[in-house]
Amino acid sequence: MASSKSSSSSSNRLALWFGIALLVIVLDQLTKVLILRAFNFGDSVTVTSFFNVVRVHNTGAAFSFLAGAAGWQRWFFVGLGLMATGFIGVMLKRHGHQAVFSLALSLILGGALGNVIDRLIHGYVVDFIQVHWDAWYFPSFNVADSGITVGAILLIWDELRRVRKS
C-alpha cells in the first residue's frame, strides 16, 4: 500500500513539473505568435526608456552563437534540445521531490522546447524582448530564454543552499 501511495505521489509531482514546463511552452509560443502577427522582421516599438518590443530572428543559440553557420546549426540545436529534454525528464523522475531543483529543471525544459518548436517551424528562434541603457543593448530574447535563465539561476541557488547545509 505504501508503495502505491508513493508511486501516486511521484506521478503527481512529475505531472506538476511537466505542467510547469508546458505552461512555459504555451506562454512562449503564444507571445511569439502575437509578435509574428503584429511585427515585421526588424520592427521595434519603444515601450519605456529601457525596454523595446522588437522582432528579430536568431538562427544561432544564446547571444547568436553560431548564427552565421551554414544552416546545420538548426538541426544541431534541435537535437541538443531533444537530448536535454530526455535528460531533464529522467532527472525530474528521480528528483521530483526536490522542489527548487525540479522547478528549475521544469523552467529550463519549457524554455528549451519552446525554442526547439521555433527551430522546427521557422528555422530560427523568434526573439522580441529588448532591454537597453543609453546606447548599450542587451541581446534580444523571449519567454523561453527567460525560463531557461530563471531555471539556471534557481539551479545555482539550489546548489549553493545544498553546499551550505553540508
Side-chain angles (χ1 to χ4, degrees):
M1 178 83 173
S3 173
S4 173
K5 189 174 184 178
S6 147
S7 176
S8 173
S9 174
S10 177
S11 294
N12 288 343
R13 280 194 303 262
L14 200 54
L16 169 67
W17 304 132
F18 283 132
I20 290 170
L22 181 62
L23 179 63
V24 172
I25 293 167
V26 168
L27 289 173
D28 178 63
Q29 291 300 303
L30 178 63
T31 54
K32 289 172 179 175
V33 165
L34 294 173
I35 291 300
L36 289 170
R37 287 184 181 166
F39 288 76
N40 291 316
F41 176 76
D43 285 353
S44 177
V45 173
T46 301
V47 178
T48 69
S49 62
F50 61 88
F51 170 69
N52 299 336
V53 175
V54 300
R55 177 176 165 186
V56 294
H57 302 162
N58 184 357
T59 56
F63 306 107
S64 296
F65 174 67
L66 292 178
W72 60 267
Q73 74 276 23
R74 173 186 185 185
W75 302 110
F76 173 75
F77 291 127
V78 166
L80 194 61
L82 294 176
M83 286 189 326
T85 296
F87 176 74
I88 290 171
V90 168
M91 295 300 286
L92 287 172
K93 189 167 173 72
R94 289 184 184 164
H95 303 284
H97 59 282
Q98 297 175 15
V100 175
F101 181 72
S102 296
L103 175 60
L105 290 179
S106 296
L107 294 171
I108 293 168
L109 176 61
L113 287 175
N115 285 338
V116 162
I117 291 167
D118 275 18
R119 290 181 197 290
L120 289 172
I121 293 173
H122 308 294
Y124 53 82
V125 173
V126 176
D127 288 330
F128 59 90
I129 302 168
Q130 183 181 62
V131 294
H132 57 89
W133 184 261
D134 279 335
W136 176 84
Y137 285 78
F138 190 78
S140 300
F141 58 99
N142 57 43
V143 173
D145 298 333
S146 299
I148 293 168
T149 301
V150 170
I153 290 167
L154 285 173
L155 277 179
I156 293 166
W157 180 62
D158 188 49
E159 186 57 26
L160 290 174
R161 282 185 2 183
R162 211 181 330 261
V163 167
R164 268 193 155 163
K165 286 180 183 176
S166 314

